[in-house]
């Protein structure tokens, strides 16, 4: 059972303010409780399956300037920098 | 007894492009936010394209630090929110599912002391932040993404250093090593950054971050050891924390604590497959590895009879080593080594001076051969060298323009000698009593001849005239 | 002139001169204007479509080289970037975002002279099964507008089945192409992971998702796959398919093919009409020479929990970049501090996305990662091993695409687990990176039922051949709209 406090803590970690606490928290608790089924899966010894490629398939090291003034299409652009709120 | 460890970030500035896109790796010449693309700015739908050469160069660093490299490497996401992080996660390496970073368990020796390299990993640099106004009153943060995505290699040592001097020595050796490998120009601003961690017996480990120079790092570590030791001596606990160097007050101060503990939620980067590094890859790179500094130095000493000190200077600076390698042959090696380590050094001791120097290895060959053949005196050679650096003119041109030929004509030298003997009557008297002071007169003859008189011939004639042996 | 034709037929008609591109495009737009205010498949229509059509007609008339698509109208799910157009992911967070580049799959279609007719509706950021989580309102099932069209690529499936376009590109993370294809009686393919480039697909769960075509016929799917599949330097996870031609030998048939019936997907929890349809499909294929046996995949039981754990983790990271600083919507940052600004800005995420973000922060967190995320990854590995074992004995696997019939709006939206479980037959293909396709097979009580075939990695061609054979065993009624 996951506590309300834990869920609020995670919401902060994920940088999302939540207003309607109770609605979300109830559903999130249900979802996490459902995930408990994973404990029964008996997969402790399982090795990870991964996708591999060799180093030869990687990109060559060449400089290609990006065409188009990308920065002007982004919001919060005034002059030369992106403006972000101050840091605490 | 202190224990010090280092965490070093080295930008691979010699690469053409960034780690995951084709923007320029060395961002320094660009105006803000003009070295960017959808990938390094983190636009929706953009995916990383891993740079092959970055993996190769990182492998070479790993090999040069005697690390073990795994058969396969993987990338991970380190998740946190910060304005300089375009995706709000950094693609880096991490050791879950076994060892998957590019290097681990290496070692490097500094003056007999072994420093163990714990881990080497490849990762991307974030962008740069500029704060408008003083940091107290800042209302906005300005972000420049030019640097975002620049390839970094992070090198982490075990806490094997005993004192700050060792740290400094290690960093100097590391700088030479990285330059020698041709992976990075550590003299570029921000290309090599180091953080440290310090503990003393009976106390906890403290991290020191955001120190801008190696010199300051040394001071910060020294301060920390003193601070911690005094706490321990008074039975006060040393708190495990992160501290910053305050350059104005020359002390370390506690860095602002974060609101909650950082949980980076590391997991595999799904956009980059695991990269297989087979033995073929290592062999190819091993062949490409430039000769390391120690073996270069040994070779110079053994093959050319150069002294250890001179060979050390030559081998540990790539600029000098390259000049030496290209200019020398069996006969003039020692002379060229000499020219570089005595006369040339003062003329090209900074990156700026090297950038504008017009001297090539041809000049050195010419000059050394001329000295050996007695065509030019050492002091004239010094002048010629300066001119070569400044203008790049050939030796022949410089000699004729500045009239630097050695005068070996005996009658010319004789006449110089006559003049000096007439002027320096006191010295002549002294020589009769103390024959070794004849060098004073040789010097005067050299001065009269503007350095061109052949010194050995001068000495021979002088001795004859003064009737001393 | 009718819009109710396949891509193959369209090309024939253009080439024979029976049809001009402009006519077809104009008629398509007319149809959209007529029915889409009700169905809401589209979020945006290309205002320049008719112009673009004229240019292609000009090329055709001048006997110049024209791309294989010959101007056919194709719609694109709104989480796939189309240059110069809004790409919103059906979210208020990106309601003003205009992409400066084309997704690779889109640029390949454009190179072959297709016309991008519009962007289709989806569940916000592709998280959902019904389009009920779209910030701009749901899409409606054209077979019965009180029923959901499936999701998350609901808009694409509606557009294709209602003849509002010839074909569409959707994305499939846990069934998001196959599920709406099944609910709307269309063909939906999730290819082998790495077959189609994800560059320009706005990531939700990048280690398992793929762009997938939604069409009316299997042949059309093969036709599109030929255009958009292939290795792409912009996506390091793409694999070389050596320019495989998926249309060649599409009528190869299933003679001698061994097909495994997935026990865990065909017995418990399956609506009886769906069960009956599945058995009928099996008979039909047997009649064509396929041989069936039962296959058991133990991990299916845990696959939904594993899927939602893994996707929440990846989504939590993939959506972190939406901090409204460089792109997003209008919200002045003046006077705010960084962390409080972005926390407020991110309130624009809809409720389902918000919940997934919370899950995504929770299941890989230091205190819980072993219990949830790492375990889910192990389930993924074991399931892959089980499917690989099975595919040594048989050539492909069969099951209904969705165990239940399409349901009404609002029916499942309050029960998160019931909603998750709609995916139980489809997430296996994503978790194991194998290709799977939904073939429209029956209309039962006015509601579509689709059959799913799952094949081995890079065996998409064989899968299409079997799907082709199956689709041709039935003649289904046309959509009543």
């Amino acid at each position: 059972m996951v506590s309300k406090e834990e869920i609020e803590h995670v919401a902060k970690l994920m940088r999302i303010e939540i207003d309607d606490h109770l609605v979300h928290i109830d559903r999130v608790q249900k979802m996490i409780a459902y995930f408990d089924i994973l404990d029964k899966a008996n997969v402790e010894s399982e090795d990870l399956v991964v996708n591999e490629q060799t180093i030869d398939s990687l990109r060559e090291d060449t400089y290609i300037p990006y065409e188009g003034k990308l920065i002007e299409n982004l919001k919060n652009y005034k002059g030369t920098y992106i403006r972000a709120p101050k840091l605490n | 007894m202190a224990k010090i460890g280092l965490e070093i970030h080295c930008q691979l500035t010699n690469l053409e492009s960034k780690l995951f896109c084709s923007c320029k790796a060395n961002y320094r010449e660009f105006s803000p936010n003009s070295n960017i693309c959808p990938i390094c700015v983190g636009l929706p739908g953009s995916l990383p394209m891993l740079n092959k050469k970055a993996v190769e160069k990182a492998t070479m660093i790993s090999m040069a630090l005697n690390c073990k490299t795994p058969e396969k490497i993987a990338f991970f996401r380190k998740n946190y929110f910060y304005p300089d992080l375009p995706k709000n996660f950094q693609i880096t390496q991490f050791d879950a599912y076994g060892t998957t970073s590019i290097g681990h368990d290496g070692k490097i020796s500094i003056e007999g002391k072994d420093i163990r390299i714990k881990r080497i990993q490849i990762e991307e640099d974030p962008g740069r932040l500029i704060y408008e106004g003083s940091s107290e009153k800042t209302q906005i943060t300005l972000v420049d993404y030019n640097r975002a995505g620049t390839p970094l290699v992070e090198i982490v040592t075990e806490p094997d250093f005993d004192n700050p001097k060792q740290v400094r020595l290690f960093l100097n050796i590391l700088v030479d090593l990285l330059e020698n490998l041709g992976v990075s120009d550590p003299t570029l601003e921000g290309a090599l950054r180091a953080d440290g961690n310090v503990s003393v017996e009976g106390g906890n480990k403290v991290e020191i971050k955001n120190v801008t120079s190696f010199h300051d790092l040394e001071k910060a570590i020294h301060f920390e050891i003193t601070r911690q030791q005094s706490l321990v001596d008074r039975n006060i606990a040393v708190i495990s924390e992160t501290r910053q160097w305050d350059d104005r007050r020359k002390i370390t101060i506690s860095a602002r604590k974060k609101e909650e503990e950082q949980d980076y939620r590391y997991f595999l980067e799904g956009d980059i497959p695991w990269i297989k590094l087979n033995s073929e890859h290592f062999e190819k790179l091993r062949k490409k590895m430039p000769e390391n500094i120690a073996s270069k130095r040994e070779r110079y000493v053994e093959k050319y009879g150069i002294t250890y000190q001179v060979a050390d200077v030559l081998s540990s600076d790539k600029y000098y080593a390259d000049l030496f390698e290209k200019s020398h042959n069996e006969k003039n090696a020692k002379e060229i080594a000499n020219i570089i380590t005595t006369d040339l050094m003062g003329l090209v001791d900074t990156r700026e001076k090297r950038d504008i120097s017009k001297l090539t290895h041809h000049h050195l060959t010419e000059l050394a051969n001329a000295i050996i053949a007695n065509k030019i005196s050492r002091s004239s050679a010094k002048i010629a060298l300066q001119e070569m650096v400044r203008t790049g003119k050939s030796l022949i041109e410089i000699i004729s323009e500045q009239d630097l030929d050695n005068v070996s004509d005996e009658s010319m030298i004789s006449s110089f000698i006559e003049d000096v003997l007439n002027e320096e009557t006191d010295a002549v008297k002294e020589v009769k009593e103390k024959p070794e002071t004849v060098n004073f007169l040789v010097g005067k003859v050299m001065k009269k001849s503007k350095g061109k008189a052949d010194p050995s011939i001068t000495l021979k004639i002088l001795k004859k005239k003064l009737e001393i042996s | 002139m009718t819009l109710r034709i396949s891509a193959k037929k369209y090309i024939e008609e253009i080439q024979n001169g029976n049809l001009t591109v402009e006519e077809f495009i104009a008629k398509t737009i007319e149809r959209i204007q007529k029915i889409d205010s009700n169905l809401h498949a589209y979020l945006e229509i290309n205002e320049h479509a008719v112009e673009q059509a004229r240019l292609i007609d000009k090329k055709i008339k001048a006997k110049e080289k024209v791309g294989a698509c010959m101007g056919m109208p194709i719609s694109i799910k709104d989480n796939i970037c189309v240059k110069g157009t809004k790409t919103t992911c059906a979210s208020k967070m990106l309601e003003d975002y205009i992409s400066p580049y084309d997704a690779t799959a889109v640029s390949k279609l454009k190179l072959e002279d297709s016309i991008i007719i519009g962007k289709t509706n989806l569940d916000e950021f592709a998280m959902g099964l019904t389009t009920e989580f779209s910030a701009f309102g749901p899409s409606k099932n054209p077979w019965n507008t009180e029923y959901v069209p499936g999701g998350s690529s609901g808009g694409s499936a509606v557009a294709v089945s209602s003849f509002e376009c010839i074909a569409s590109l959707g994305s499939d993370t846990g069934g998001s192409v196959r599920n709406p294809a099944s609910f709307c009686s269309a063909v939906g393919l999730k290819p082998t992971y790495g077959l189609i480039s994800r560059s320009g697909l706005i990531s939700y769960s990048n280690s398992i998702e793929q762009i997938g075509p939604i069409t009316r016929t299997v042949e059309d799917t093969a036709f599109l796959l030929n255009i958009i599949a292939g290795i792409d330097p912009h996506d390091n996870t793409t694999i070389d398919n050596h320019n495989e031609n998926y249309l060649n030998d599409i009528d190869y048939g299933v003679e001698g093919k061994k097909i495994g019936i997935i026990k865990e997907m065909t017995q418990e929890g399956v609506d009886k009409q769906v069960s009956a349809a599945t058995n009928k499909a099996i008979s039909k294929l047997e009649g064509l020479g396929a041989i069936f046996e039962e296959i058991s995949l133990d991990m299916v039981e845990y696959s939904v929990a594993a899927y939602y754990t893994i996707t929440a983790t990846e989504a939590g990271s993939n959506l972190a970049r939406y901090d409204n600083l460089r792109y997003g919507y209008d919200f002045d940052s003046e006077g705010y501090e960084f962390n409080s600004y972005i926390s407020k800005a991110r309130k624009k995420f809809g409720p389902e996305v918000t919940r997934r973000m919370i899950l995504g922060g929770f299941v890989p967190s230091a205190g819980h990662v072993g219990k949830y995320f790492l375990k889910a990854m192990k389930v993924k590995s074991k399931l892959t091993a089980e499917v690989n074992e099975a595919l040594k004995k048989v050539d492909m696997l069969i099951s209904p695409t969705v165990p239940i019939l399409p349901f009404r709006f609002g029916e499942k939206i309050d029960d998160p687990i019931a909603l998750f479980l709609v995916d139980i037959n489809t997430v296996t293909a994503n978790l194991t990176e194998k290709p799977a396709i939904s073939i429209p097979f029956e209309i039962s009580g006015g509601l579509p039922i689709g059959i799913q075939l799952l094949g081995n990695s890079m065996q998409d061609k064989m899968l299409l051949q079997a799907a082709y054979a199956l689709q041709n065993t039935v003649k289904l009624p046309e959509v009543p709209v």
Side-chain angles (χ1 to χ4, degrees):
Chain A
M1 193 51 172
V2 183
S3 71
K4 183 161 88 87
E5 286 72 33
E6 260 190 290
I7 290 177
E8 281 173 7
H9 173 77
V10 171
K12 221 175 175 178
L13 182 71
M14 299 303 278
R15 302 292 188 270
I16 306 187
E17 224 179 79
I18 36 175
D19 283 337
D20 34 358
H21 276 95
L22 295 168
V23 172
H24 285 315
I25 286 174
D26 184 55
R27 286 178 78 121
V28 170
Q29 280 178 336
K30 283 205 175 96
M31 291 174 181
I32 296 175
Y34 175 67
F35 296 160
D36 283 341
I37 201 178
L38 291 170
D39 287 333
K40 298 206 219 122
N42 199 15
V43 284
E44 277 324 303
S45 59
E46 214 52 42
D47 282 325
L48 193 67
V49 170
V50 298
N51 289 332
E52 289 174 8
Q53 279 178 26
T54 65
I55 191 174
D56 304 301
S57 60
L58 298 178
R59 172 178 61 94
E60 295 298 330
D61 181 38
T62 18
Y63 165 47
I64 305 171
Y66 184 75
E67 279 168 34
K69 293 215 158 96
L70 188 61
I71 194 66
E72 284 166 16
N73 292 321
L74 302 179
K75 65 192 289 269
N76 282 337
Y77 169 70
K78 282 176 194 149
T80 39
Y81 294 96
I82 291 286
R83 293 157 81 89
K86 67 174 176 189
L87 286 155
N88 215 352
Chain B
M1 192 55 172
K3 273 175 148 194
I4 308 159
L6 291 180
E7 196 178 286
I8 300 141
H9 287 92
C10 170
Q11 284 181 343
L12 301 180
T13 58
N14 285 6
L15 289 178
E16 274 302 305
S17 61
K18 291 183 177 179
L19 188 56
F20 297 120
C21 66
S22 305
C23 292
K24 199 128 177 67
N26 187 359
Y27 50 88
R28 290 163 181 81
E29 286 153 30
F30 289 87
S31 59
N33 287 312
S34 57
N35 182 36
I36 58 174
C37 74
I39 297 170
C40 55
V41 139
L43 286 194
S46 63
L47 298 174
M49 300 192 285
L50 182 58
N51 181 334
K52 185 197 302 191
K53 218 176 196 157
V55 178
E56 289 179 353
K57 294 289 186 187
T59 311
M60 285 164 80
I61 294 175
S62 183
M63 293 199 277
L65 292 174
N66 303 306
C67 289
K68 301 192 179 69
T69 28
E71 271 174 21
K72 302 184 229 182
I73 60 167
F75 288 85
F76 286 75
R77 291 193 186 178
K78 180 179 183 182
N79 298 282
Y80 62 100
F81 289 85
Y82 214 66
D84 63 3
L85 213 54
K87 305 182 285 289
N88 285 322
F89 62 83
Q90 180 198 33
I91 301 180
T92 177
Q93 295 197 294
F94 189 68
D95 287 332
Y97 314 119
T99 336
T100 53
S101 348
I102 192 75
H104 63 100
D105 295 316
K107 191 169 67 177
I108 213 181
S109 266
I110 50 167
E111 289 184 350
K113 171 117 181 123
D114 278 346
I115 303 293
R116 292 169 297 164
I117 307 293
K118 183 169 176 184
R119 190 177 77 240
I120 299 183
Q121 61 192 45
I122 304 169
E123 57 188 36
E124 53 175 349
D125 222 348
R128 291 179 64 216
L129 298 179
I130 293 138
Y131 302 97
E132 218 166 61
S134 75
S135 50
E136 306 305 311
K137 299 195 214 145
T138 317
Q139 290 305 309
I140 9 176
T141 311
L142 298 176
V143 191
D144 176 9
Y145 293 109
N146 282 351
R147 190 183 71 175
T150 296
L152 284 183
V153 164
E154 181 181 311
I155 302 167
V156 180
T157 75
E158 297 284 8
D160 289 343
F161 298 97
D162 302 319
N163 59 61
K165 273 211 161 41
Q166 282 177 358
V167 168
R168 195 61 196 281
L169 184 60
F170 173 85
L171 289 172
N172 289 338
I173 289 176
L174 187 64
V175 166
D176 289 340
L177 186 148
L178 292 169
E179 252 185 340
N180 188 45
L181 278 180
V183 300
S184 176
D185 180 357
T187 64
L188 287 175
E189 187 254 319
L192 198 60
R193 289 132 37 192
D195 295 328
N197 55 73
V198 181
S199 68
V200 299
E201 207 169 319
N204 285 314
K205 190 171 81 169
V206 171
E207 312 248 333
I208 307 171
K209 282 195 186 288
N210 289 331
V211 188
T212 43
S213 72
F214 293 165
H215 187 55
D216 284 346
L217 181 63
E218 208 184 332
K219 286 197 272 184
I221 294 173
H222 186 82
F223 176 84
E224 256 313 286
I225 295 173
T226 313
R227 183 190 76 90
Q228 291 181 21
Q229 193 59 59
S230 90
L231 288 173
V232 166
D233 288 343
R234 292 179 283 154
N235 268 320
I236 304 172
V238 177
I239 313 167
S240 183
E241 58 173 345
T242 304
R243 295 174 75 85
Q244 282 175 314
W245 176 247
D246 181 333
D247 193 45
R248 200 173 49 85
R249 295 186 282 165
K250 307 282 184 232
I251 59 171
T252 63
I253 51 173
S254 195
R256 229 173 271 124
K257 283 192 177 46
K258 300 199 170 100
E259 275 175 39
E260 68 269 329
E261 236 180 73
Q262 273 292 14
D263 187 344
Y264 295 117
R265 307 185 327 267
Y266 284 99
F267 65 92
L268 277 169
E269 171 53 79
D271 290 332
I272 304 176
W274 290 51
I275 307 296
K276 267 198 301 230
L277 305 172
N278 48 33
S279 51
E280 228 179 80
H281 160 79
F282 290 121
E283 271 327 294
K284 191 177 82 158
L285 287 180
R286 223 176 281 278
K287 291 206 182 94
K288 270 200 208 167
M289 290 278 279
E291 186 187 12
N292 75 35
I293 292 172
S295 94
K296 249 190 235 184
R297 185 181 56 224
E298 272 164 42
R299 182 162 61 84
Y300 295 166
V301 167
E302 277 168 32
K303 196 165 177 203
Y304 306 113
I306 294 173
T307 65
Y308 183 91
Q309 287 86 337
V310 169
D312 194 30
V313 172
L314 265 188
S315 60
S316 56
D317 188 324
K318 190 167 195 290
Y319 181 78
Y320 298 143
D322 285 347
L323 277 175
F324 176 74
E325 296 287 350
K326 292 191 196 131
S327 60
H328 79 281
N329 58 39
E330 290 267 354
K331 293 212 186 87
N332 59 23
K334 230 172 162 171
E335 185 62 57
I336 292 186
N338 213 34
I339 297 175
I340 293 177
T341 57
T342 44
D343 302 321
L344 184 61
M345 269 180 71
L347 302 171
V348 289
D349 53 353
T350 66
R351 200 164 58 77
E352 290 76 31
K353 287 186 191 170
R354 287 178 188 185
D355 280 344
I356 58 174
S357 160
K358 301 233 172 27
L359 181 92
T360 70
H361 61 271
H362 295 296
H363 292 112
L364 286 176
T365 313
E366 271 188 310
L367 195 59
N369 291 345
I371 293 175
I372 291 170
N374 243 337
K375 293 237 178 73
I376 184 173
S377 71
R378 280 250 160 67
S379 46
S380 297
K382 255 197 174 90
I383 299 169
L385 188 66
Q386 273 181 32
E387 196 61 18
M388 285 166 170
V389 169
R390 196 175 69 85
T391 64
K393 290 193 179 144
S394 73
L395 183 61
I396 297 180
E397 279 182 84
I398 296 174
I399 285 180
S400 82
E401 276 176 22
Q402 300 210 17
D403 195 23
L404 294 175
D405 301 68
N406 249 357
V407 173
S408 29
D409 181 84
E410 293 205 12
S411 58
M412 272 208 78
I413 294 182
S414 275
S415 89
F416 284 128
I417 289 176
E418 283 304 316
D419 291 342
V420 166
L421 290 176
N422 288 333
E423 290 162 18
E424 305 289 336
T425 45
D426 286 338
V428 172
K429 274 200 197 119
E430 206 182 337
V431 144
K432 299 262 161 87
E433 254 135 86
K434 291 186 196 156
E436 63 274 17
T437 59
V438 69
N439 285 313
F440 173 78
L441 291 169
V442 172
K444 286 289 176 185
V445 173
M446 295 300 288
K447 210 170 166 190
K448 245 217 194 287
S449 70
K450 296 204 184 78
K452 293 193 292 179
D454 184 310
S456 45
I457 300 179
T458 305
L459 183 63
K460 190 182 79 182
I461 300 177
L462 250 180
K463 278 185 175 170
K464 209 161 157 201
K465 284 199 195 274
L466 295 167
E467 288 160 14
I468 55 172
S469 56
Chain C
M1 182 204 31
T2 176
L3 292 174
R4 299 169 187 239
I5 53 177
S6 65
K8 181 177 172 194
K9 185 77 176 158
Y10 168 88
I11 293 167
E12 265 173 45
E13 295 290 272
I14 295 279
Q15 282 173 335
N16 291 338
N18 294 339
L19 192 57
T20 66
V21 181
E22 186 179 344
E23 280 177 306
F24 197 85
I25 295 292
K27 190 118 195 229
T28 302
I29 298 218
E30 208 184 291
R31 174 137 176 100
I32 295 171
Q33 283 164 346
K34 182 160 162 228
I35 64 174
D36 209 59
S37 50
N38 186 28
L39 294 180
H40 197 231
Y42 284 94
L43 291 176
E44 186 143 320
I45 304 294
N46 176 5
E47 294 167 346
H48 306 287
V50 175
E51 263 171 62
Q52 289 163 1
R54 286 196 192 119
L55 288 173
I56 297 176
D57 278 328
K58 237 186 180 153
K59 280 207 279 189
I60 295 173
K61 203 161 180 200
K63 299 227 197 298
E64 279 169 38
K65 186 158 181 352
V66 180
C69 291
M70 307 218 85
M72 71 176 69
I74 300 186
S75 64
I76 308 288
K77 185 177 181 183
D78 207 23
N79 65 347
I80 298 173
C81 292
V82 175
K83 183 173 177 173
T85 74
K86 280 204 286 182
T87 300
T88 67
C89 297
S91 177
K92 296 226 165 73
M93 275 306 284
L94 287 179
E95 67 185 353
D96 295 327
Y97 177 67
I98 295 183
S99 175
Y101 71 99
D102 277 323
T104 298
V106 170
S107 67
K108 284 182 172 182
L109 285 177
K110 283 183 177 177
L111 271 170
E112 291 296 343
D113 281 326
S114 70
I115 291 179
I116 307 300
I117 192 90
K119 306 298 286 299
T120 54
N121 195 23
L122 60 151
D123 286 287
E124 188 181 355
F125 279 105
M127 299 183 206
L129 291 138
T130 64
T131 70
E132 287 171 298
F133 293 130
S134 165
F136 307 122
S139 304
K140 295 195 191 145
N141 194 320
W143 293 86
N144 184 329
T145 55
E146 287 172 27
Y147 286 72
V148 302
S152 60
S153 314
S156 288
V158 171
V160 169
S161 61
S162 319
F163 307 106
E164 291 178 292
C165 60
I166 289 262
S168 188
L169 288 189
S171 72
D172 191 314
T173 312
S176 291
V177 156
R178 293 160 286 156
N179 166 311
S182 175
F183 276 16
C184 293
S185 201
V187 178
L189 169 74
K190 182 207 81 73
T192 305
Y193 183 81
L195 187 59
I196 298 179
S197 170
R198 285 180 299 110
S199 175
L201 166 65
I202 295 179
S203 291
Y204 153 27
S205 186
N206 52 317
S207 72
I208 57 176
E209 65 199 354
Q210 280 289 279
I211 288 178
I214 297 179
T215 61
R216 296 192 276 271
T217 70
V218 174
E219 239 176 329
D220 285 357
T221 294
F223 168 75
L224 283 183
L225 202 57
N226 277 352
I227 297 171
I228 60 180
I231 199 165
D232 179 20
H234 293 276
D235 176 356
N236 276 164
T237 61
T238 51
I239 331 175
D240 194 354
N241 72 338
H242 307 289
N243 283 318
E244 172 103 80
N245 186 331
Y246 299 97
L247 264 179
N248 260 6
D249 302 325
I250 190 120
D251 53 357
Y252 189 78
V254 291
E255 179 73 51
K257 287 283 189 294
K258 298 211 198 87
I259 304 182
I261 305 167
I262 304 173
K263 180 169 137 210
E264 291 77 8
M265 297 184 188
T266 46
Q267 293 176 9
E268 252 186 70
V270 183
D271 279 352
K272 63 177 186 342
Q273 302 93 321
V274 175
S275 206
T278 309
N279 288 331
K280 192 164 150 205
I282 290 171
S283 303
K284 294 271 184 189
L285 288 169
E286 265 176 336
L288 293 172
I291 306 158
F292 285 85
E293 65 181 81
E294 194 179 78
I295 290 279
S296 183
L297 299 174
D298 290 335
M299 289 292 109
V300 167
E301 191 185 338
Y302 312 104
S303 60
V304 170
Y307 169 81
Y308 280 98
T309 303
I310 294 170
T311 56
T313 300
E314 296 195 342
S317 177
N318 284 321
L319 269 66
R321 71 189 66 195
Y322 304 110
D323 53 18
N324 210 39
L325 292 181
R326 286 144 298 159
Y327 39 81
Y329 65 96
D330 235 331
F331 175 23
D332 195 3
S333 61
E334 186 78 44
Y336 280 96
E337 180 271 331
F338 176 71
N339 285 305
S340 61
Y341 174 80
I342 63 178
S343 301
K344 260 202 164 55
R346 285 155 66 80
K347 281 173 82 170
K348 283 278 189 176
F349 283 135
E352 182 66 12
V353 172
T354 300
R355 287 189 282 266
R356 304 285 188 100
M357 295 290 97
I358 295 172
L359 283 178
F362 185 81
V363 294
S365 65
H368 303 280
V369 65
K371 183 171 159 74
Y372 298 106
F373 179 70
L374 289 178
K375 235 172 228 160
M377 290 297 281
K378 290 191 175 167
V379 167
K380 177 176 191 272
S381 296
K382 193 160 181 191
L383 180 61
T384 305
E386 282 184 354
V387 171
N388 283 336
E389 264 314 297
L391 290 171
K392 284 189 190 148
K393 294 187 253 174
V394 297
D395 297 304
M396 55 193 105
L397 303 170
I398 193 169
S399 75
T401 305
V402 189
I404 58 177
L405 285 166
F407 46 91
R408 289 172 188 276
F409 284 105
E411 202 176 293
K412 298 221 184 267
I413 199 157
D414 289 323
D415 185 346
I417 308 309
L419 196 55
F420 280 179
L421 285 170
V422 174
D423 266 348
I424 189 153
N425 288 7
T426 44
V427 298
T428 293
N430 303 86
L431 290 173
T432 58
E433 304 186 8
K434 308 274 183 220
I437 186 168
S438 180
I439 303 111
F441 189 72
E442 186 149 304
I443 308 294
S444 168
L447 297 171
I449 298 176
I451 301 297
Q452 175 180 247
L453 289 169
L454 185 153
N456 214 341
S457 299
M458 294 311 262
Q459 295 295 310
D460 304 65
K461 192 173 162 91
M462 188 201 298
L463 201 64
L464 287 165
Q465 289 166 346
Y468 179 85
L470 183 60
Q471 186 175 36
N472 283 345
T473 63
V474 287
K475 179 111 177 60
L476 295 177
E478 252 180 21
V479 72
V481 77

